[in-house]
Structures are given as structure tokens and as C-alpha cells.
Amino acid sequence: MHIILVPGFWLDGSSWDDITPPLVEAGHTVEPVTLPGVERENDHRAEVTLADQVDDVVARVDASVEPVVLVGHSGGGAVIHAVVDARPEAVTRAIYVDSLPLAEGKCINDELPVVDGVIPLPDWSVFDDADLVGMTPQIRDTFRRIAIDVPAHVAQDKQVLTDERRYDVPITVITCEFPSADLQAMAQDDDHPWHGYVHEVSLVRDVTWIDLPTGHWPQLTRPADLAAALADAVGPA
């Protein structure tokens, strides 16, 4: 398999460094992605849109000569879901790491504080306690040191989906902050405040759930366990 790893907010392709080796050892081709607008040096970061990031990953799918598995962490889950929508025939499986498929018309997060068109990594007080499980002082310091500002458009742009064949592509959801049973219940509860954000997953015809209890950044807090979960989800080469 050709595994394309899409990071979440404030992270680039290097955030997968501890995850990549076990997947390569299992015989897969692995491509960690640094999304447009999240390069270390970019004078036009604030101009980058969610569509720009989706188009970048679509191009990577089109260039692959092997079957493709998409992996998206956090906001990267919205990106890979849009890619599945654009290329449902080309994606073998999509894997959402502490993330879910983002539905048409929703945005990733329009509540994060914006500074000059970008979103720096906020103060830790902005995050819920569940986000920060396992985030030791050392890990927090490392994260803040490597964090890259996110284009505000990426967080605030509405998801655009057009092809319901996306529901035919098998997915795996690796849940960290909340037990998978809780998320499945939210997806079926029309009155739950998060229903609109979690209902899309209930429309997918083949869903596998993997529980990996930790905070929102398992590649930092439990990298070996995340690598093992991904290897299990992808299967043998």
C-alpha cells in the first residue's frame, strides 16, 4: 500500500517521524505530507485555503502507482475526507486519527484565535482536559517548539463534497479522547450538540473502530501504539 499521512493543525510531515518506520518495515510505501500553508517558510501562508490542501493530496493520490491508504489526524481528517470524495475509486481505505469525516458545509474549527490571517498554537488553556491527556511538560515544550501557524482559511472554510460514493470507501476511526462507543452514540442522536459533526461517519458503509486512549496528539503521547494501530488498520503489504 501507498500510505499518505496527513497531519493535523500546527504540524508538518515530520510529526510522523516516529510512526513511519514500522509501516515501512511492514512493506508499505509511506508518504508523510507537509500541507500547503504549513511549510516552515511561507510568506503567503494566510492566503492558503482548505481547497488548496485538498488539491495537494488529490495530486499525490493521482501520482501513486500503488493502492492508496489515506491517514488524517485531527484537521487532516477533513482533508482526507474531501480527497475520498474527489477520488473514491482510488482510495482503498481512509483512517481518521482522533478525527472523523467532516460533512458537507461544516468547517474544521472557526473558534480558534486568528492573528493576521493565521492561527498560532494557542495557550494550553484553550484546549479541553481531554485534549491534553499524556501531554507531559516535555512534550508540550517540544510541540510548541515545532508548531507552525495554520492558515485561518483552512480552519474556517466550509467543506465541499459532491460524490456520495465516498460512503463506499472503507474507513477506520482511531479514537483517542472519547471512547468509540460514545462517538457512535452521538452520531445517532439527533439532539446531541455534536450530531452535525459526527453524523457523517454513520453514513459510511464499512467502519472499523479502534480505541487508543490518550489525548488529541497520539503521535506525540503514544507513538508506538499509534504506529501499531495504523499497521493493524492497513493490514499486511
Side-chain angles (χ1 to χ4, degrees):
M1 295 292 179
H2 183 71
I3 305 173
I4 299 176
L5 301 170
V6 181
F9 284 3
W10 307 294
L11 297 171
D12 64 8
S14 68
S15 63
W16 298 105
D17 284 355
D18 290 337
I19 310 303
T20 299
L23 299 175
V24 173
E25 291 170 8
H28 302 292
T29 302
V30 183
E31 183 179 3
V33 173
T34 294
L35 291 166
V38 196
E39 307 91 342
R40 290 283 163 191
E41 302 294 333
N42 188 326
D43 294 333
H44 304 282
R45 197 182 307 280
E47 301 171 13
V48 175
T49 67
L50 179 60
D52 292 331
Q53 295 193 344
V54 172
D55 289 346
D56 178 86
V57 181
V58 168
R60 296 170 189 271
V61 171
D62 290 344
S64 177
V65 296
E66 300 173 279
V68 171
V69 173
L70 296 175
V71 178
H73 165 251
S74 188
V79 174
I80 70 165
H81 191 51
V83 176
V84 170
D85 181 78
R87 296 292 188 271
E89 72 288 344
V91 179
T92 300
R93 178 172 295 274
I95 304 174
Y96 299 83
V97 179
D98 211 40
S99 180
L100 289 169
L102 184 66
E104 163 74 19
K106 299 294 184 182
C107 68
I108 297 174
N109 190 334
D110 59 2
E111 296 181 354
L112 292 168
V114 177
V115 180
D116 296 329
V118 299
I119 303 170
L121 178 62
D123 184 82
W124 301 117
S125 62
V126 169
F127 300 103
D128 295 331
D129 289 344
D131 291 322
L132 301 175
V133 171
M135 292 288 285
T136 64
Q138 181 179 4
I139 292 174
R140 294 190 194 196
D141 289 345
T142 298
F143 189 8
R144 194 158 295 281
R145 176 175 52 80
I146 66 174
I148 305 164
D149 295 349
V150 175
H153 282 296
V154 173
Q156 298 174 355
D157 288 352
K158 295 187 183 304
Q159 178 81 295
V160 177
L161 304 172
T162 61
D163 193 337
E164 291 195 354
R165 289 183 298 163
R166 64 184 179 273
Y167 299 132
D168 296 326
V169 177
I171 74 171
T172 299
V173 181
I174 299 176
T175 64
C176 299
E177 295 180 70
F178 302 100
S180 60
D182 290 354
L183 292 173
Q184 292 177 72
M186 293 177 196
Q188 300 296 336
D189 182 359
D190 293 347
D191 295 325
H192 196 281
W194 290 5
H195 175 75
Y197 282 91
V198 300
H199 182 61
E200 180 83 353
V201 71
S202 71
L203 303 176
V204 179
R205 294 178 177 88
D206 184 346
V207 183
T208 301
W209 299 83
I210 297 176
D211 286 274
L212 179 61
T214 187
H216 188 54
W217 294 279
Q219 65 271 65
L220 301 180
T221 58
R222 294 183 64 180
D225 293 326
L226 176 58
L230 290 174
D232 182 58
V234 174

